[in-house]
Amino acid sequence: MGKKVEKWDIETDILVAGSGGAGLTAAITAHDNGAKVIVVEKTNKVGGTTAVSGGIPWIPNNHHMSEVGVSDSTEEAFNFMKTLAMGRANDDVIMAFVENAPKMIKHIEDNTPLKLDALQMPDYKAEVPGGKMKGRSLGPPAFDSTTLGDWRANMRWGTASILPMSYAEYEQTNAINCPMALDYAMLAERMGKGIMGMGMSLIGNLLRGCLDRGIEPMIQTRGKELIVEDGKIIGMWCEKDGKDVFIRASKGVILATGGFEWDDELKAHFLPGPYTHPLTPPGCEGDGLRMAMAVGADLANMSEIWGVPTSFIPTEEYDGKQLYRITMAERCLPHTIMVNRYGERFVDEAHNYNDVAKVFRCFDPVPFDHRNDPAWCVFDQQYRDRYWVLMTAMPGEQDPDWLPVADTLEELANKVGIDAANLKATVERFNEFARKGADDDFNRGGTAYDRYCGDPRSEPNPCLGTIEQPPFYALPVYIGTIGTKGGPRTNVNGEVLNAFGETIDGLYAAGNAMASVSGPAYGGGGFTIGLAMTWGYIAAKHAAGKP
């Protein structure tokens, strides 16, 4: 089956498809284990989904945790992940991640410019046995992109939410909760000097590590098909500038191409409902998934996403597509709630975005639809005076025309399509909770992560505040994704398996291109990136060791 190659254009030991956190970590690791490496990237920018993220790898039992006074162990991390996976991943594969994650990050820090800080951010499920109140999420530094030379022009730039500062600085300024605490003059000065932060910093440091090893990604090179010979994957048929390029990889191909959240056909095949608001770069179209399926890969976790409540400003675009923005402050901070069309709250709004997003898919059999999608974050002038909206509408500024506003709750409800009587009753009930500092319906502010996302100036509950000062606002919120979680099933070495549990010789997967060992869960800030980088490391080490 497939292409018959008469002449190879490029020959290497290991071919890595994708230039996000998984791909660049795999390339560095393969090189450091004696292999010759080629990285191909379908777009004209290096960085993938990682570049537009917070850039935080979640690494259990990492060597920085003692710096913030926290201990960890393999057993605690394994039990935590096993509980959250809910039977969706094999114990041995979970253990492979837990054991290798701290080794990976130590190797990367010791051998590249990347240096990370242990953050105060708690695990998203810190109260689950094995969860931690801080230290597993590692923040990237500020990065001087001018050190990349000409490659700076080929870096994928993040959106406005990716600020030119270390994540530790961002955390210390309490910017999520108190945006006016940011030094905007300093940020503008740093941007002018080419300073990057967050996901762009993580990618910049990893790219610098690749360049130092003589590994220059082949951009605008899309993988089309895996080349099979005698049952072994020996290379890939790619397309670059409209021309075929055949790359031989004697030791293996590592798929690190991201998820399939921008491919409508694949989403219709595998996801349980429409997911129309992806926050990732539009190049995440399931290329690796299709190539793996074509050679008989078994699939797992295909119905799961890294979910996030999202909103958008109609005029904003990214790579020619509508730009979607994460909704965080608008649902976590005081003086706001999230309701459905019936005017009902339906979740602890301040909880982690992945689990909140799941409740958007509550199916109502009578109208035959999802009752909580779309939803609205409803807030008042108290919120507008203190906090930002989608990081663009700042306190004290004129209300933007894309943000619905009205003088009364009833008028607001009628304007956007919410049950007016129910909304008024819901707000009155919530105001009672806010005044006493306890949410009797959903326990908002009752978990460590809730409180981390709240405003510590608001007492006694950092997530609660009344909604009573007009005018009132209603920001539409939809279920979005920061990636899909399904793909080829892999073993402890990152090798792709077929339907009989046998390895497909020479084929590996990492990051959102593989079936995530997280199952339906999101364990903590940077879970996606920690998994991606670790599986890139695991796959590359194994592939490099093959004859």
Side-chain angles (χ1 to χ4, degrees), residues 64-80:
H64 290 291
M65 294 183 74
S66 61
E67 298 166 11
V68 291
V70 178
S71 63
D72 200 359
S73 68
T74 299
E75 292 72 24
E76 287 177 290
F78 172 79
N79 290 333
F80 178 71

Side-chain angles (χ1 to χ4, degrees), residues 1 19 47 60 90 97 171 178 190 205 213 245 266 322 325 340 348 360 365 388 395 417 449 487-488 492 506 528:
M1 61 166 288
S19 68
N90 293 335
F97 166 74
E171 192 177 58
C178 309
R190 285 189 180 182
N205 278 287
R213 290 162 171 78
V245 178
L266 290 172
Q322 173 67 54
R325 289 175 174 266
N340 58 22
D348 168 7
F360 277 66
W388 56 32
Y449 186 71
V492 296
T528 55

